[in-house]
Amino acid sequence: MDTKTIIKEATDRMERTVQHLEEELLNIRAGKASTNVLNSVYVDYYGSQSPVSAVASVTVPDAKTVLIQPWDKNMIRTIEKAILDSNIGLTPSNNGEQIRLSIPPLTEERRKELVKQVRNIGENARISLRNSRRDAVDAFKKAQKEGMPEDESKDGETQSQKLLEKYSKKLDSLMEAKEKEIMTV
């Protein structure tokens, strides 16, 4: 193992952590309508579990509404039931051709709960970043025992720390932006 390989591995893991955090934050509803609110909703479509977006057109006509237009009209009841069972906190209403989800304004209490949720997700991402750094440092120590010069090993550990700081800043800015979005009335 050389320095570049260990650092590249740590960078890849940290990058994946940040991407995962971005995906998790997209699933948190901030009072505005978004098609991401249905990411966790799956419907039984001819015997297999499919996401709603695979069986219907999902659009956001305005800031408070998500419109679901199934390609097969027989799927309306199935989609409605899946939304109700998914616990996303929205009640569907249909007119026989499409399903409407009205996004209610968030209460102050609900906003605070969502900020706590964002912070929990962020803390898990931070732990993952620190684990990546720890694994890189361990790899440098192991490589040093196997013959890597001590100064190269120490430089690698320093690079690992700098990587952690860089990705921690990215993480902080993502969380800060989401918290601001949630708290904006």
Side-chain angles (χ1 to χ4, degrees), residues 85-103:
D85 293 345
S86 70
N87 270 342
I88 57 173
L90 299 173
T91 307
S93 61
N94 82 59
N95 63 5
E97 290 186 15
Q98 55 195 11
I99 300 169
R100 227 173 245 294
L101 297 175
S102 295
I103 310 292

Side-chain angles (χ1 to χ4, degrees), residues 15-169:
E15 192 64 46
R16 284 196 307 270
T17 299
V18 170
Q19 286 172 352
H20 180 73
L21 176 72
E22 286 174 338
E23 290 167 15
E24 289 285 316
L25 292 179
L26 282 177
N27 292 332
I28 295 178
R29 187 165 53 98
K32 293 187 198 92
S34 167
T35 57
N36 293 322
V37 79
L38 296 170
N39 284 355
S40 61
V41 180
Y42 287 83
V43 293
D44 185 34
Y45 187 62
Y46 295 111
S48 67
Q49 291 294 311
S50 304
V52 173
S53 58
V55 298
S57 166
V58 181
T59 57
V60 181
D62 60 60
K64 298 289 179 199
T65 311
V66 176
L67 197 61
I68 306 163
Q69 198 154 10
W71 292 308
D72 180 357
K73 300 287 182 240
N74 301 331
M75 289 298 294
I76 286 184
R77 292 267 178 255
T78 312
I79 293 172
E80 270 188 316
K81 185 174 177 346
I83 291 170
L84 287 170
D85 293 345
S86 70
N87 270 342
I88 57 173
L90 299 173
T91 307
S93 61
N94 82 59
N95 63 5
E97 290 186 15
Q98 55 195 11
I99 300 169
R100 227 173 245 294
L101 297 175
S102 295
I103 310 292
L106 294 173
T107 62
E108 186 66 25
E109 187 178 310
R110 181 68 178 135
R111 289 178 194 279
K112 288 178 179 170
E113 284 176 27
L114 289 174
V115 167
K116 282 182 186 172
Q117 188 180 351
V118 166
R119 289 184 179 154
N120 282 340
I121 291 170
E123 188 54 37
N124 289 340
R126 273 194 184 84
I127 290 168
S128 180
L129 288 177
R130 288 194 298 263
N131 287 344
S132 299
R133 182 210 42 205
R134 186 200 59 222
D135 292 347
V137 168
D138 289 348
F140 279 116
K141 287 179 179 172
K142 184 180 176 200
Q144 184 181 344
K145 285 180 184 170
E146 294 173 359
M148 179 185 276
E150 185 177 344
D151 58 339
E152 188 178 332
S153 172
K154 293 292 180 202
D155 286 348
E157 289 178 27
T158 306
Q159 286 177 11
S160 302
Q161 181 61 34
K162 285 180 181 167
L163 265 181
L164 174 72
E165 291 164 6
K166 173 186 168 190
Y167 282 98
S168 289
K169 282 181 184 154

